[in-house]
Amino acid sequence: MNDGPRLTETQAWQALKAHYEEISGTSLRQLFAEDPTRGERFCAEGAGIFLDYSKNRITAKTLILLVQLARECGLEARRDAMFRGEKINLTENRAVLHTALRVPRGASISVDGRDVVPDVHAVIDRMSDFADRVRDGRWLGCTGKRIKNVINIGIGGSYLGPEMAYLALRPSSQRAMNFRFVSNVDGADFTEATQGLDPAETLFVISSKTFTTLETMTNARTARKWLVDSLGREEAVASHFVAVSTNGEKVREFGIDTANMFGFWDWVGGRYSMDSAIGLSTMLAVGPENFKEMLAGFHAMDEHFRTAPLESNLPAIMGLLTVWYNNFFGAQTMGVMPYASCLKRFPAYLQQLQMESNGKHVDLGGRFVDYETGPIIWGEPGTDAQHSFYQLIHQGTKLIPCDLIGFCRPLSPLDHHHDLLMANMFAQAEALAFGKTAAELTGEGSPDFQTPFRICEGNRPTNVILAESLTPKTLGSLVALYEHNVFTQGIVWNIDSFDQWGVELGKVLAGRIIPELSGAAAPQLGHDSSTNALIRRYRRLKGRD
Ligand code: G6Q
């Protein structure tokens, strides 16, 4: 365990603290006025993604100090250790090797003395063969009908990535097939997803690393019953269920032949798994070639992160800017607004990636941190978001740095819509940075009584992320950009970004409450008075007591 000097005692941290005092009063208007080339200088590019970070409250010195902080925290060494397959997930004693899921065939990365790359490619090959057979109709349901519906059953990391990627890549998907996602144990999720579907044409992909997760196993059992009751034979499971898991034994116990199981490994964290076999539903939707393009995009960003100097390294810069606002400006939250409706689940995906990874209160030495860690991440697609919550970002009292993500070419043929969309994205970044002064408003004829209400102070920071178009490859690069951005933050905060102990307690307590809700006889309750009263009310209203 790491029990070296505390982050706040490092030289770079102290220097950043002093530097913050120097520049926190300087506005983006001033910074742009002082340096007319700023918009071209504070930019970086890699793996097909362009980042304009000039509208941030930084100077060249800020960047130098942030990079110094990253170096003092050992970012480069820790990054290299991750890529080598060292067990950097200390609390679970595991390697963190999602980057191995996208290395080209022939590369070599060893974990516990075994080269994992051939295993990775063997799974991709099996997935590809299966996906081709389902997509071209060689894999049939038990009555001989083609598979028209694919339902992914999984939750958390086994759901958010697949759903996000399916929606993002829908323009490249097999339109003759329906793709649905069941995650919540709320029965409404299953009922709605299967509404109107013919079980004889439906394939369930049960995605669960552990194959023990309450929600997923409950939904999987419900799915089996739905199928078997309708088709009248238990053997139907063989052609209508496949599993994605690391737990062959549990898959077999459930009744799925492990020949129809696609594996992955304990060195792939749930929220880092959309490019593993957990992406099977994505591959079924977009086909193996597009899926491999997506993997190539991930890999291109991995290579950028691994090799580009920190000063021009996209994930490192974004991660360090997050630290700058989170720890020096006291920003509690960050917005992510994709100007692409296909990316509507991207903010939800990033919420898990960032908040589960970096929502930690002890450092790697097990000591409570005396600084803020992961910010709250949230967002919705622009332009919709402009008509709901942007007001607070422009004129509210909280500082909310935002990432605005857009593309130069649309996937839709309606190109004139796209110019309107992107004009809005550029305009929002401009308005947030520069605002509108009282003098400007008066000059435009604003009535005096309205002027104070119309002033926009500006000075609201944004990153503008621009790529050519939302292809599978771009999606891979974009996700890897955020994965490594989150990694960078975690290294600076000296936390384990790859565990999630905080989610355990609630699961254990729910296990205790389940029989108290469903048992026939009134239970003896030993909770606090609030929980006891809620359970009693629930049972009473359901007519159980
Ligand atoms: C992700 C988490 C978590 C996990 C789900 C589903 O990093 O570990 O979100 O993905 O709890 O777990 P299973 O895949 O094991 O069902």
Side-chain angles (χ1 to χ4, degrees):
M1 292 276 166
N2 175 340
D3 52 6
R6 291 231 172 205
L7 171 61
T8 47
E9 290 160 6
T10 59
Q11 273 181 17
W13 188 276
Q14 293 299 328
L16 278 162
K17 229 167 108 181
H19 175 65
Y20 168 77
E21 298 301 332
E22 271 163 37
I23 75 148
S24 59
T26 311
S27 70
L28 284 168
R29 272 190 188 237
Q30 285 166 283
L31 292 172
F32 271 84
E34 280 162 18
D35 176 5
T37 63
R38 184 180 170 89
E40 284 127 54
R41 289 200 306 122
F42 288 87
C43 295
E45 199 164 2
I49 293 189
F50 175 78
L51 168 69
D52 173 355
Y53 61 99
S54 63
K55 295 190 189 80
N56 279 290
R57 293 169 65 174
I58 57 167
T59 62
K61 183 174 172 192
T62 321
L63 200 61
I64 291 171
L65 292 177
L66 285 169
V67 167
Q68 256 173 34
L69 179 69
R71 295 220 162 95
E72 227 179 305
C73 295
L75 174 62
E76 287 143 316
R78 302 277 298 283
R79 171 196 65 193
D80 296 346
M82 171 174 76
F83 277 96
R84 271 198 306 274
E86 282 179 28
K87 296 192 174 168
I88 63 160
N89 175 355
L90 295 182
T91 74
E92 296 179 319
N93 191 30
R94 284 180 181 163
V96 173
L97 260 185
H98 40 278
T99 53
L101 297 168
R102 50 251 194 169
V103 292
R105 223 181 271 278
S108 166
I109 300 168
S110 101
V111 178
D112 294 330
R114 181 184 173 91
D115 184 357
V116 298
V117 180
D119 299 343
V120 165
H121 281 272
V123 173
I124 296 173
D125 290 342
R126 284 188 56 232
M127 288 166 66
S128 303
D129 173 59
F130 174 71
D132 278 337
R133 282 190 289 146
V134 173
R135 285 162 58 89
D136 67 23
R138 279 175 291 144
W139 177 287
L140 298 171
C142 67
T143 64
K145 285 190 176 175
R146 270 182 87 139
I147 297 298
K148 261 179 52 188
N149 317 307
V150 173
I151 301 185
N152 184 74
I153 295 184
I155 196 165
S158 300
Y159 151 66
L160 283 159
E163 187 187 51
M164 180 279 288
Y166 166 65
L167 293 172
L169 303 179
R170 193 147 52 165
S172 322
S173 71
Q174 177 95 301
R175 298 292 191 168
M177 292 170 74
N178 301 307
F179 292 86
R180 297 190 181 169
F181 298 83
V182 174
S183 59
N184 203 308
V185 75
D186 182 347
D189 228 15
F190 182 85
T191 305
E192 286 304 319
T194 47
Q195 199 61 42
L197 301 187
D198 177 357
E201 300 175 336
T202 303
L203 174 76
F204 289 98
V205 179
I206 313 299
S207 298
S208 176
K209 182 172 170 181
T210 54
F211 233 72
T212 57
T213 306
L214 171 88
E215 293 89 336
T216 301
M217 297 326 296
T218 305
N219 280 318
R221 281 189 290 270
T222 299
R224 187 172 56 193
K225 184 165 172 6
W226 178 81
L227 184 96
V228 171
D229 284 356
S230 160
L231 298 177
R233 44 192 139 143
E234 194 66 40
E235 311 80 75
V237 171
S239 43
H240 293 269
F241 276 76
V242 294
V244 179
S245 188
T246 57
N247 192 342
E249 202 181 313
K250 290 277 173 202
V251 168
R252 214 172 301 116
E253 247 173 57
F254 179 86
I256 298 177
D257 185 346
T258 45
N260 297 331
M261 164 178 154
F262 301 88
F264 59 115
W265 306 271
D266 75 351
W267 41 262
V268 183
R271 55 193 173 275
Y272 297 87
S273 67
M274 61 169 274
D275 50 336
S276 71
I278 289 291
L280 183 61
S281 60
T282 314
M283 192 192 269
L284 284 162
V286 302
E289 286 318 307
N290 280 322
F291 191 84
K292 288 174 196 167
E293 278 295 299
M294 183 180 82
L295 296 182
F298 271 101
H299 181 63
M301 185 57 77
D302 293 343
E303 285 303 283
H304 170 82
F305 181 54
R306 199 174 63 77
T307 59
L310 297 185
E311 292 77 1
S312 55
N313 190 308
L314 271 73
I317 293 170
M318 286 179 66
L320 291 169
L321 286 170
T322 299
V323 171
W324 179 232
Y325 292 118
N326 186 66
N327 296 93
F328 296 92
F329 283 79
Q332 292 279 320
T333 86
M334 291 196 56
V336 183
M337 320 303 172
Y339 278 72
S341 63
C342 286
L343 283 180
K344 66 168 159 244
R345 291 294 280 159
F346 194 56
Y349 174 78
L350 291 183
Q351 270 176 336
Q352 182 189 24
L353 182 67
Q354 299 221 25
M355 292 164 75
E356 202 163 56
S357 296
N358 287 344
K360 306 290 162 67
H361 63 178
V362 292
D363 69 12
L364 287 173
R367 305 169 295 194
F368 277 95
V369 294
D370 56 357
Y371 44 85
E372 294 284 331
T373 61
I376 298 157
I377 304 295
W378 56 283
E380 282 287 326
T383 61
D384 301 76
Q386 293 172 203
H387 296 262
S388 61
F389 53 70
Y390 267 45
Q391 164 63 32
L392 187 145
I393 308 177
H394 283 288
Q395 284 190 317
T397 54
K398 294 177 173 58
L399 179 72
I400 304 175
C402 293
D403 291 351
L404 309 185
I405 304 170
F407 302 90
C408 297
R409 289 183 207 281
L411 295 177
S412 143
L414 304 173
D415 195 37
H416 65 294
H417 284 237
H418 189 249
D419 289 342
L420 300 181
L421 174 73
M422 293 304 289
N424 270 279
M425 183 177 106
F426 296 140
Q428 288 299 326
E430 196 176 16
L432 287 164
F434 306 113
K436 188 135 238 183
T437 63
E440 284 167 344
L441 285 161
T442 307
E444 289 169 9
S446 163
D448 282 353
F449 82 93
Q450 263 186 2
T451 299
F453 301 97
R454 296 174 66 174
I455 289 171
C456 285
E457 294 164 288
N459 223 14
R460 270 70 169 159
T462 53
N463 285 320
V464 171
I465 294 167
L466 204 56
E468 191 178 326
S469 60
L470 182 51
T471 59
K473 191 164 182 185
T474 311
L475 181 69
S477 297
L478 193 61
V479 173
L481 169 64
Y482 277 92
E483 286 177 347
H484 300 317
N485 163 0
V486 168
F487 177 83
T488 301
Q489 298 164 28
I491 295 301
V492 172
W493 293 323
N494 194 27
I495 54 180
D496 191 329
S497 297
F498 301 101
D499 62 14
Q500 56 281 317
W501 298 106
V503 300
E504 296 305 321
L505 176 61
K507 286 190 205 168
V508 172
L509 296 187
R512 188 172 145 201
I513 295 176
I514 291 166
E516 295 172 345
L517 294 187
S518 50
Q524 283 289 327
L525 296 174
H527 305 274
D528 59 276
S529 59
S530 159
T531 311
N532 286 345
L534 289 167
I535 293 171
R536 284 196 200 102
R537 171 172 287 263
Y538 177 88
R539 287 186 60 94
R540 208 168 45 244
L541 286 177
K542 281 199 126 172
R544 291 195 178 138
D545 296 324

